[in-house]
Amino acid sequence: ELRLKQEYFLVAATLQDIVRRYKNVGYGHNKPGSSKRTTFEQFHHKAAVQLNDTHPSLAIPELMRILVDDENMVWDDAWEICQKTFSYTNHTVLPEALERWP
């Protein structure tokens, strides 16, 4: 249970930072009057998240949560962005090496 909470915390913090950076066109520049992105049409061109057998796939539902709940996006549009943003590679072929949840 602790590991799941830790993974969720790190995933949530990372994705919130990615979204924050995407929305701030200046990428870290807090200039007065700097423009902000208001749509996520180009999100997958600016952010790519690679998942594998050792990186938590919790990122997918968490980005969905951010887009739907925080950014008021409809489910289908949020799902399309997730499909374009995330990639998965399995480096482990042995089942005993894969992470398991009880």
Side-chain angles (χ1 to χ4, degrees), residues 10-29:
L10 294 172
V11 163
T14 299
L15 287 174
Q16 288 174 28
D17 186 53
I18 291 170
V19 168
R20 180 187 59 80
R21 289 172 183 254
Y22 172 77
K23 289 170 70 173
N24 292 324
V25 176
Y27 292 104
H29 301 288

Side-chain angles (χ1 to χ4, degrees), residues 2-44:
L2 176 61
R3 183 169 179 169
L4 179 60
K5 288 178 182 179
Q6 290 170 332
E7 285 189 15
Y8 176 75
F9 173 80
L10 294 172
V11 163
T14 299
L15 287 174
Q16 288 174 28
D17 186 53
I18 291 170
V19 168
R20 180 187 59 80
R21 289 172 183 254
Y22 172 77
K23 289 170 70 173
N24 292 324
V25 176
Y27 292 104
H29 301 288
N30 294 324
K31 298 176 187 173
S34 64
S35 59
K36 306 262 185 198
R37 285 192 176 97
T38 57
T39 68
F40 284 81
E41 293 171 358
Q42 297 297 312
F43 186 77
H44 66 282

Side-chain angles (χ1 to χ4, degrees), residues 16-87:
Q16 288 174 28
D17 186 53
I18 291 170
V19 168
R20 180 187 59 80
R21 289 172 183 254
Y22 172 77
K23 289 170 70 173
N24 292 324
V25 176
Y27 292 104
H29 301 288
N30 294 324
K31 298 176 187 173
S34 64
S35 59
K36 306 262 185 198
R37 285 192 176 97
T38 57
T39 68
F40 284 81
E41 293 171 358
Q42 297 297 312
F43 186 77
H44 66 282
H45 292 292
K46 302 294 181 184
V49 179
Q50 179 67 39
L51 304 173
N52 64 39
D53 49 341
T54 60
H55 290 85
S57 56
L58 287 172
I60 297 169
E62 178 58 12
L63 183 58
M64 284 293 293
R65 187 200 66 74
I66 291 169
L67 295 174
V68 172
D69 294 345
D70 298 345
E71 301 297 331
N72 300 314
M73 190 174 292
V74 296
W75 181 273
D76 289 339
D77 292 344
W79 181 243
E80 184 177 345
I81 289 170
C82 284
Q83 288 177 310
K84 292 177 179 177
T85 301
F86 291 102
S87 299

Side-chain angles (χ1 to χ4, degrees), residues 1 85 93 102:
E1 183 180 346
T85 301
V93 294

